[in-house]
Amino acid sequence: MKLSDYEKAMLDGAHGPAKQKAMDLLVRYGNALGAERLVETRNVAGTIGATTPFMRKFADEKGGLDAVFSEFNLDSAEVVPIPPVEVYSSHLQQGIDPEHAAQQGVGEEVVRIFRKGDAYSAGLGVQLLNTCTPYQVGNLPARGEHCAWMESSAVIYINAVLGARSNAEGRESTGAAMLTGRIPYWGYHIESERRGTHLVELDMPIESMSDWGMLGYYVGDAVQDKVPVITGTGLAPSTLKLKHFGAAAASSGGVEMYHIPGFTPEAPTLEAAFGGNRPREVFRFGPKERQSVYENLNATARDPEVDFVMLGCPHYSIEQIWEVCRLLQGKRVHENTQLWIFTPRATKQIADQNGYTKIITDAGGYLMSDTCSALGRVIPKGTKVAAVDSAKQVHYLPAIMGIQAWFGSTADCIEAALTGRWKGGLR
Ligand code: F3S
């Protein structure tokens, strides 16, 4: 791999042992990918600190969080002192919400370690956005900006909706990028790799949020890790709908980039979306496909009694919280059901100030941050049947937690929270 003088100096250890380990990792990783060089990045979103029970034990035994960073972010068995990050870096979602530890069944010791991890990250200069949607709370890369982001739903969003450039990176490569401002130049950093490969034509209007989630789930399953181009969507989709669409497509397949000609920034026309190439395959999405996706997403659900409603995958925006509050205001969550809504930390502050947190808690629900049920494996004790409004969450939650889960609209989910029963359906 070709390296600049500065990169060579980092690799030779001239800028300290941590950067030497980081460069060593990036070179090994880049070589394995066949990357010819590294690219400069000034925007990293990743994970550091002891986020799992195994890492907490590791930190205790090896003497702290530098050991965790060395081993799990730099792939180095030798513990090296970790300096402040070189470039703007945001922390992604974590394993718990320290403000709702009791509800999530998390002990004081874990909260203490969590807070230590937060302080460690802040000390390195990592911004504690603690969300899977950094783009909703201030980390909004520009078109063409080379980024190193983890979290599949965020990567597909910044690639397709913003026109920024990132592959779905891992904990190791983002850790190394934080310290060096470099990431291998391959995949979606390269213009020609971003062109469409498969065409998806719509035979029906796609309007609601759950329709966009189901369409995303269909598209991911159909094209796997390729670049779909979707036509026939009608009205301009909102950013919230694209957030749901992308999260679903990245779950059922491994989609990291897509185009909607006329709407997404790198596809002013269908021709531009494909960059002059012909689609390798054409798919059609209509009522039959929609029905089949709906049945697939509800495959684990049998019992109508719902004991847990989980909203906020990807983390809810303030607009979505506001909409939930309009459905919830003045009502009470059913005594046998729990309602948990997840949002970025920063959005929760706005919700507090706008009175939305109070509306939710007065109704008997909780507005949580920093984590989610599938990622943190946090659900109310004894949950057997959940209801969610996210195709991504219903893809993961039943398998991870061994429960049933219904998928439907946000209104279906709120109704289930208020009545304790699932009455949703495909409308
Ligand atoms: Fe975010 Fe959890 Fe969904 S991390 S995208 S809310 S699975």
Side-chain angles (χ1 to χ4, degrees):
M1 186 190 286
K2 252 201 239 148
L3 299 179
S4 68
D5 289 345
Y6 176 58
E7 290 161 358
K8 276 187 206 148
M10 282 196 279
L11 185 60
D12 292 342
H15 295 273
K19 291 188 186 191
Q20 192 275 324
K21 298 285 183 199
M23 275 303 294
D24 179 62
L25 183 145
L26 291 172
V27 169
R28 281 187 283 135
Y29 172 48
N31 280 335
L33 295 165
E36 286 174 8
R37 64 178 176 93
L38 301 173
V39 65
E40 199 169 329
T41 174
R42 308 210 64 76
N43 190 327
V44 184
T47 299
I48 62 177
T51 47
T52 64
F54 175 76
M55 287 178 190
R56 283 174 214 130
K57 191 161 172 271
F58 187 91
D60 269 353
E61 286 170 4
K62 301 271 178 166
L65 291 168
D66 275 3
V68 174
F69 200 114
S70 299
E71 176 77 31
F72 297 101
N73 291 93
L74 299 179
D75 190 33
S76 162
E78 181 195 343
V79 179
V80 291
I82 306 302
V85 296
E86 184 74 24
V87 295
Y88 176 50
S89 302
S90 308
H91 207 292
L92 292 167
Q93 68 277 7
Q94 306 214 31
I96 64 163
D97 174 358
E99 303 298 327
H100 291 93
Q103 287 76 23
Q104 295 183 354
V106 173
E108 277 174 23
E109 177 60 8
V110 173
V111 174
R112 192 187 63 75
I113 295 169
F114 178 97
R115 295 205 189 281
K116 222 169 138 186
D118 258 9
Y120 177 79
S121 301
L124 296 184
V126 176
Q127 313 306 321
L128 297 170
L129 301 186
N130 288 11
T131 174
C132 48
T133 59
Y135 53 86
Q136 293 193 134
V137 284
N139 188 346
L140 204 67
R143 183 170 174 183
E145 186 175 350
H146 292 282
C147 300
W149 281 33
M150 273 175 76
E151 170 49 43
S152 61
S153 70
V155 169
I156 189 172
Y157 189 93
I158 63 167
N159 273 328
V161 182
L162 304 180
R165 298 185 174 206
S166 182
N167 297 299
E169 296 293 345
R171 180 175 173 132
E172 300 79 3
S173 54
T174 50
M178 286 176 188
L179 299 185
T180 60
R182 298 292 188 279
I183 199 76
Y185 182 68
W186 73 288
Y188 295 112
H189 290 287
I190 300 171
E191 178 71 34
S192 58
E193 298 290 318
R194 300 172 66 81
R195 299 296 104 225
T197 58
H198 292 65
L199 179 62
V200 181
E201 294 178 332
L202 303 188
D203 288 337
M204 59 179 296
I206 298 294
E207 277 153 19
S208 69
M209 199 81 95
S210 34
D211 272 354
W212 276 94
M214 288 189 279
L215 174 63
Y217 204 78
Y218 169 83
V219 167
D221 193 36
V223 311
Q224 290 298 307
D225 58 353
K226 299 298 184 292
V227 182
V229 177
I230 297 99
T231 61
T233 56
L235 294 176
S238 67
T239 51
L240 296 180
K241 289 170 181 168
L242 295 178
K243 176 177 78 166
H244 266 276
F245 170 83
S251 316
S252 58
V255 180
E256 294 175 24
M257 175 67 183
Y258 65 87
H259 302 280
I260 304 179
F263 298 129
T264 53
E266 295 179 42
T269 62
L270 182 62
E271 210 175 32
F274 281 102
N277 300 325
R278 291 175 63 82
R280 294 181 205 169
E281 215 174 333
V282 179
F283 297 94
R284 302 197 72 83
F285 181 86
K288 190 162 69 73
E289 287 73 20
R290 179 173 174 260
Q291 176 79 37
S292 154
V293 171
Y294 183 79
E295 285 166 13
N296 190 2
L297 291 175
N298 281 291
T300 66
R302 296 177 304 278
D303 302 333
E305 280 80 26
V306 172
D307 33 35
F308 175 44
V309 175
M310 183 274 180
L311 303 175
C313 172
H315 281 175
Y316 259 10
S317 68
I318 194 68
E319 180 184 343
Q320 290 173 292
I321 294 170
W322 169 64
E323 282 170 2
V324 161
C325 285
R326 294 206 293 182
L327 295 168
L328 210 55
Q329 192 155 20
K331 299 178 182 151
R332 278 296 297 172
V333 169
H334 191 268
E335 56 184 356
N336 297 335
T337 309
Q338 293 236 27
L339 170 64
W340 294 5
I341 303 167
F342 293 87
T343 193
R345 228 180 233 203
T347 307
K348 169 128 189 335
Q349 282 208 342
I350 302 171
D352 291 350
Q353 284 157 17
N354 263 57
Y356 300 150
T357 309
K358 185 168 182 329
I359 292 172
I360 293 165
T361 48
D362 283 355
Y366 294 97
L367 185 60
M368 300 181 172
S369 68
D370 289 40
T371 189
C372 79
S373 290
L375 187 109
R377 299 174 181 229
V378 284
I379 59 175
K381 206 161 171 248
T383 295
K384 290 195 184 73
V385 183
V388 303
D389 65 350
S390 158
K392 173 169 180 173
Q393 191 70 201
V394 83
H395 178 82
Y396 289 114
L397 193 61
I400 291 174
M401 301 307 293
I403 59 172
Q404 300 175 42
W406 293 99
F407 165 80
S409 68
T410 307
D412 288 341
C413 289
I414 293 297
E415 189 184 24
L418 297 174
T419 62
R421 287 184 73 81
W422 183 256
K423 296 178 197 151
L426 192 57
R427 292 183 189 95

